[in-house]
Amino acid sequence: SAPLPARRGGAVLCGVVLLDAVVFALCFGVGFSHFCRRRRDVDCAQVDCSIFYDWGEGSSLQRWPHEVVARWLQAHGLGHLVRDWLYDQRFWAYMDFAQTCYSLMLFPYVLLGLPPCKAFLTHARRTGYDKAGRLCWALSNQQMLERSSMLHSFAVQDRAATRMQ
């Protein structure tokens, strides 16, 4: 089979990766800045903030994420950077919010799963395996019809040759 014509590849995928990076920075930046602003607005010296640190049995948030991260940061001497954010349920709620927004804003990736978009982005031909197990180009519909008619004609010739013998 003939090789595919040379094309400048990757331009579309670079744009998609850039979109992903911008959306990630936007979602987590907005979520984290909102968390910091809300944390600054509530003065725990004047207001009872124990509800934000309640990791009781009925809590929808699990206790393990902040403990694992806090232990790792303490072991590497970075515990002072975290302060008590990891123990604040608002932090985990905002991280969940940012993750949800990030997931929802990446709906264009659904379009990339559609066959016309895949062909536009990758410019790749379909492949398959032959009977010997070797990877090869998949046949087009026209080639499959030609192969089918050729195999049929071979079968007819074999039957005719068998009858003559």
Side-chain angles (χ1 to χ4, degrees):
S1 67
L4 294 174
R7 296 183 185 169
R8 183 177 173 268
V12 174
L13 290 178
C14 286
V16 170
V17 170
L18 181 63
L19 170 71
D20 183 45
V22 168
V23 168
F24 177 82
L26 179 71
C27 289
F28 284 90
V30 167
F32 189 70
S33 66
H34 188 65
F35 164 70
C36 291
R37 188 172 53 249
R38 290 292 182 185
R39 190 170 166 87
R40 186 183 61 230
D41 290 346
V42 176
D43 183 15
C44 287
Q46 297 175 358
V47 178
D48 181 23
C49 292
S50 63
I51 191 168
F52 299 130
Y53 301 101
D54 179 25
W55 292 84
E57 292 295 321
S59 175
S60 62
L61 298 170
Q62 298 296 318
R63 187 170 178 82
W64 67 268
H66 71 278
E67 288 181 352
V68 171
V69 174
R71 285 185 194 142
W72 185 87
L73 290 170
Q74 289 291 349
H76 291 84
L78 301 172
H80 64 282
L81 297 175
V82 179
R83 293 174 251 170
D84 57 343
W85 290 350
L86 296 176
Y87 295 98
D88 192 342
Q89 286 185 355
R90 293 174 293 180
F91 175 75
W92 296 105
Y94 284 120
M95 292 306 287
D96 183 56
F97 163 78
Q99 182 181 12
T100 302
C101 288
Y102 176 66
S103 299
L104 291 174
M105 290 181 74
L106 291 177
F107 71 91
Y109 282 104
V110 172
L111 300 176
L112 300 180
L114 300 175
C117 293
K118 279 185 187 177
F120 173 70
L121 287 174
T122 61
H123 307 292
R125 287 179 51 188
R126 294 178 64 192
T127 57
Y129 293 96
D130 61 8
K131 289 184 180 182
R134 294 177 302 231
L135 182 66
C136 57
W137 296 113
L139 299 177
S140 68
N141 289 338
Q142 180 62 31
Q143 290 171 327
M144 285 192 277
L145 288 174
E146 290 172 4
R147 183 175 186 276
S148 174
S149 66
M150 184 176 65
L151 289 175
H152 179 68
S153 68
F154 286 154
V156 169
Q157 289 173 0
D158 283 346
R159 282 193 299 256
T162 304
R163 277 188 228 147
M164 282 201 243
Q165 293 177 356

